[in-house]
């Protein structure tokens, strides 16, 4: 599903590598943590996957396609297969929970009938069925991130990418959100999470990719947060 | 495109226009002024060429006969003129007939003036030439004929008319070019404001995979509507303005000015103003978006 070969990224010519010669393979249906200290290159890697940035070197294949060579007009169709979840939620705060989720469907041309069926369903999955009409700014942080999750899965993507999805949440809420991500993964969706949360990584015992100064220094099945050589 | 996304685009377009209504009105206003000017120029132009067409079809050279010439000289002159190889036809117009014409053209302004007693107008031969371009040469030849007072031909007056309108047109065109650029700039600025206000929505749209065209549509429509409104308003104004001038012309007995009817003129104007206005609007929206929608 994701295949990286000597993948490298430099933001500025002559500058240092934000990601240097990383090679890995992620299969359909996996749950993978990306860990590493600040500036290690986690966000850079996730941005490469959604083609927000183009790799400087190497090859990155998503769904069998070389995204480095993907023409710009094909980009939307790549992104429809990837659900994004952000640390700062990135919701339309003045709009209702329902509107936020429906928006993601309207703008890619989903029919009204389908939207009316699908939105309550995904709100049910994240436990927000009774908050559909509430404005996002009247929700707690944990609830807002649930809206973010609902939006991410609204269009049934093959993969969810979450960049520090619980960075702004307290430990209890963090566990709720991570459990939701795990249940989404159990339904067959590939889930990639960049995180600093040691407790969660240790508890979940999923695959862990270790990054340091732009280099991929480890790859463990059922890994823990601390990297052991 | 589904019905829901179609409605989304329409609703977003009008929301954008409403949120920036003052800027919208300003930008549209500049388009209105630009096209109004263009419209007036076109109106004048259309009518001048119409008038000159009719003038051309009519008399080309007028030979005024000397007051002192007697009947014999008059006949001789007539024969000489009609025998000339460059002349297609001649017509004698007496001084009384000239006075009658003036009465018809100026109407009430000559009330009380006794034409029988004191008629200052000269009799003339009106001449149509075989080749219209030869009028200047022929006119100077006719001037030397006995019994001729002065020779007048419309050409010079038409040329002057064109020279004057030419200068006015150049100034007008320069002004309009400036105004068009201002209009495009203002429209793009207005749309930029809506783009800014919708930054978050746009970034979300990109992440969930909306196509660039889908994202652009509300902004393109916004520009298009401003440009279209900027074209329709001057058209309506020009229609009534023109209608009013037509009425003024006929009320003042200036019927010799043969003007085109209002609806013909308006349709002709619309053919230029509507594409121009919408073009300016779309150009403005294209300039406003480039940077934001590239990811
Ligand atoms: N837009 C950018 N322009 C230039 N350099 C950048 C840019 N984004 C990131 N970098 C640099 O790339 C390197 C990796 O950054 P990245 O954001 O991938 O780290 P990270 O692992 O996500 O860190 P954090 O845990 O703090 O989010 C850092 O040195 C950073 O300064
Ligand atoms: Mg990061």
């Amino acid at each position: 599903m994701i295949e990286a070969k000597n993948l490298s990224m430099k933001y500025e010519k002559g500058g240092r590598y934000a990601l240097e010669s990383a090679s890995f393979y992620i299969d359909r249906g996996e749950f993978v943590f990306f860990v590493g200290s600040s500036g290690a290159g986690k966000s850079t890697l996730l941005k490469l996957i959604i083609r927000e940035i183009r790799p400087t070197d190497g090859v990155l294949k998503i769904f069998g396609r070389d995204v480095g060579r993907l023409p710009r007009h094909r980009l939307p169709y790549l992104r429809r297969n990837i659900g994004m979840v952000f640390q700062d939620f990135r919701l339309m705060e003045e709009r209702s929970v329902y509107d936020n989720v429906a928006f993601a469907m309207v703008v890619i041309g989903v029919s009204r009938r389908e939207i009316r069926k699908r939105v309550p369903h995904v709100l049910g999955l994240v436990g927000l069925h009774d908050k559909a009409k509430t404005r996002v700014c009247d929700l707690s942080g944990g609830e807002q991130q649930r809206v973010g999750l609902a939006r991410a899965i609204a269009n049934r993507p093959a993969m969810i990418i979450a960049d520090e999805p619980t960075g702004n949440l307290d430990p209890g809420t963090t566990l709720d959100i991570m459990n939701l991500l795990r249940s989404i993964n159990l339904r067959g969706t590939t889930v990639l999470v960049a995180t600093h949360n040691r407790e969660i990584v240790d508890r979940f015992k999923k695959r862990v990719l270790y990054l340091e100064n732009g280099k991929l220094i480890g790859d463990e099945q059922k890994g823990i947060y601390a990297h052991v050589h | 495109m589904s019905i829901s996304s179609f409605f989304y685009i329409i609703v977003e377009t009008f929301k954008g226009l409403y949120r920036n209504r003052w800027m919208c009105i300003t930008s549209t206003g500049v388009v209105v002024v630009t096209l109004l000017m263009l419209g007036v120029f076109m109106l004048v132009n259309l009518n001048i060429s119409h008038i000159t067409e009719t003038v051309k079809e009519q008399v080309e050279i007028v030979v005024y006969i000397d007051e002192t010439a007697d009947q014999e000289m008059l006949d001789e002159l007539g024969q000489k003129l009609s025998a000339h190889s460059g002349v297609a036809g001649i017509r004698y117009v007496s001084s009384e007939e000239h006075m009658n014409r003036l009465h018809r053209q100026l109407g009430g302004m000559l009330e009380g003036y006794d034409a029988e007693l004191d008629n200052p107008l000269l009799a003339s031969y009106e001449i149509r030439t075989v080749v219209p371009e030869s009028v200047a040469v022929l006119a100077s030849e006719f001037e030397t004929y006995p019994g001729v007072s002065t020779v007048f031909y419309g050409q010079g007056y038409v040329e002057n008319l064109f020279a004057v309108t030419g200068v006015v047109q150049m100034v007008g065109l320069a002004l309009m070019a400036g105004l068009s650029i201002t209009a495009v700039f203002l429209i793009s600025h207005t749309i930029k404001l809506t783009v800014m206000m919708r930054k978050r929505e746009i970034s979300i749209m990109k992440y969930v995979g909306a196509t660039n065209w889908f994202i652009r549509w509300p902004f393109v429509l916004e520009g298009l509507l401003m440009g279209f409104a900027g074209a329709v308003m001057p058209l309506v104004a020009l229609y009534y303005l023109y209608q009013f001038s037509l009425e003024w012309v006929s009320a003042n007995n200036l019927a010799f000015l043969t003007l085109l009817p209002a609806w013909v003129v308006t349709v002709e104007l619309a053919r230029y103003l509507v594409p121009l206005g919408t073009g300016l609007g779309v150009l403005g929206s294209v300039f406003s978006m480039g940077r934001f929608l590239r990811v």
Side-chain angles (χ1 to χ4, degrees), chain A residues 119-137:
Chain A
V119 177
H121 177 69
V122 293
L123 287 181
L125 288 180
V126 300
L128 284 178
H129 40 269
D130 53 342
K131 300 267 187 184
K133 292 206 173 97
T134 313
R135 285 193 311 169
V136 164
C137 55

Side-chain angles (χ1 to χ4, degrees), chain A residues 42-43 163-164:
Chain A
K42 306 180 291 295
S43 299
D163 195 353
E164 296 188 38

Side-chain angles (χ1 to χ4, degrees), chain B residues 45 52 92 99 106 121 123 136 165 169 173 185 188 208 214-215 217 219 223 240 243 263 274 287:
Chain B
N45 253 355
T52 47
Y92 176 72
M99 185 50 87
L106 302 180
L121 303 175
T165 54
Q169 270 172 4
L173 277 176
F185 173 80
S188 85
V208 301
F214 185 89
I215 300 173
W217 265 119
F219 303 113
Y240 284 106
Q243 190 84 292
W263 69 269
V274 171
F287 281 138

Side-chain angles (χ1 to χ4, degrees), chain B residues 216-264:
Chain B
R216 280 188 196 125
W217 265 119
F219 303 113
V220 173
L221 284 181
E222 209 177 303
L224 197 117
L225 283 176
M226 283 192 264
F228 184 72
V232 169
M233 284 192 267
L235 275 178
V236 173
L238 286 168
Y239 176 83
Y240 284 106
L241 191 82
Y242 190 75
Q243 190 84 292
F244 177 78
S245 346
L246 284 186
E247 274 159 26
W248 186 83
V249 163
S250 68
N252 287 283
N253 286 308
L254 300 171
F256 66 97
L257 287 170
T258 48
L259 299 176
L260 292 162
W263 69 269
V264 172

Side-chain angles (χ1 to χ4, degrees), chain B residues 55-63 81-82 84-91 125-142 151-155:
Chain B
V55 166
K56 259 193 199 152
E57 279 166 17
Q58 295 165 358
V59 185
E60 283 155 354
I61 302 176
V62 183
V63 173
L81 286 172
S82 45
H84 195 287
S85 63
V87 173
I90 69 167
R91 199 175 93 81
Y125 281 112
E126 292 180 349
I127 296 163
R128 280 179 297 111
T129 55
V130 177
V131 191
E133 283 71 32
S134 65
V135 278
V137 180
L138 289 179
S140 55
E141 188 184 333
F142 296 161
V151 177
F152 174 84
Y153 62 104
Q155 212 71 355

